[in-house]
Amino acid sequence: MERFDGISVFVEVADAGGFSAAAARLNLSRSAVGKTVSRLERRLGVRLFHRTTRTQSLTEEGQLFYESCQKALGEIRTAEDLLESGRREIRGRLRISMPVLFGRQCVAPLLRDLLRSHPRLEFDLSFNDRVIDLLDEGFDLAIRNSPLGNGSGLMMRTVAEQRMTVCASPAYLEAHGMPRTVAELAAHEGIVYARGGEPLSWSFPSDGKAAEIVLPQTRLRLDDLAAIADAAAAGHGLAWLPCWLVRERVQKGELVRVLTDRPGLIFKAHAVWPRTQHMLPKLRVVIDKLAAGLPRIME
């Protein structure tokens, strides 16, 4: 059993990005964590971390050892969770990645509510708009709004649908007029979502026909949906945004939806997780919660 001493602490340091952060997670002193890792290095005969006065980073050998240990500990946790599957109590930790704005406003409130029902359930939540690699980065679950691609080794379940809408401030519409058709949008000033220099065109589905695509003229391109909503409310132009994001502003009269007779494009939100033979009870209860709760939040 001595061969396993210090491995869980080592993995925690690598996950946390440093001895101090790992010590806080483990409820240990920084000195105790450092000594545990040093003993492990002496036993293995390799240096696992590059150390400076402020930071610690994995060496090449440390990275290889970390990847193997992470997988092994994951297998152990899976075995423990399966033993719990016949019991009523949901317990254990899940690492979950989600888009920043959608995660903060829609997903996180449901997960916080779930913690009240399951006192021994734990979440490590990561808010990031990039598409993470669940297997390489050690996540148990990701919520994605983007196309899934052909990710092998992954499972997926649609948990919500996000309908898009065009909106603008009352002041903008009074000054520039209300667009009545999709074609008229091109003549208006638009506030456009763009990432990597590429603006996202606005798409409007049509029954039995190809979708109508338009990109309004624009002087304002942003990579944050909340900032686009702010700019639209301030009168800078039309914006194409998820209905859930603008609902309160519309109710308050800060924004007005336009082209309401046209169905909005729908983006599906997916829960994605690594493929396993048996779904863990803690993972199932989270996915079921999101599938039941997100559609109500986003109406």
Side-chain angles (χ1 to χ4, degrees), residues 209-222:
K209 301 178 183 178
E212 290 187 76
I213 308 296
V214 64
L215 185 63
Q217 57 188 359
T218 179
R219 296 182 297 144
L220 189 56
R221 293 167 289 277
L222 304 98

Side-chain angles (χ1 to χ4, degrees), residues 94-111 123-134 139-148 154-162 244 267-274 283 285-291 294 298:
L94 287 173
R95 296 189 68 216
I96 305 174
S97 173
M98 63 193 76
V100 176
L101 187 60
F102 180 61
R104 184 170 65 241
Q105 294 199 18
C106 299
V107 179
L110 292 172
L111 297 182
F123 295 137
D124 289 348
L125 305 183
S126 175
F127 298 85
N128 200 311
D129 287 332
R130 69 182 178 85
V131 178
I132 60 102
D133 189 311
L134 278 80
F139 282 94
D140 301 296
L141 179 69
I143 308 303
R144 292 182 179 172
N145 295 326
S146 58
L148 296 181
L154 298 178
M155 300 288 288
M156 179 273 289
R157 178 178 172 185
T158 300
V159 291
E161 295 181 340
Q162 303 183 64
W244 61 263
F267 287 101
K268 293 183 182 296
H270 308 283
V272 186
W273 65 96
L283 187 58
V285 76
V286 168
I287 295 171
D288 287 347
K289 177 74 171 181
L290 296 180
L294 280 175
M298 298 166 62

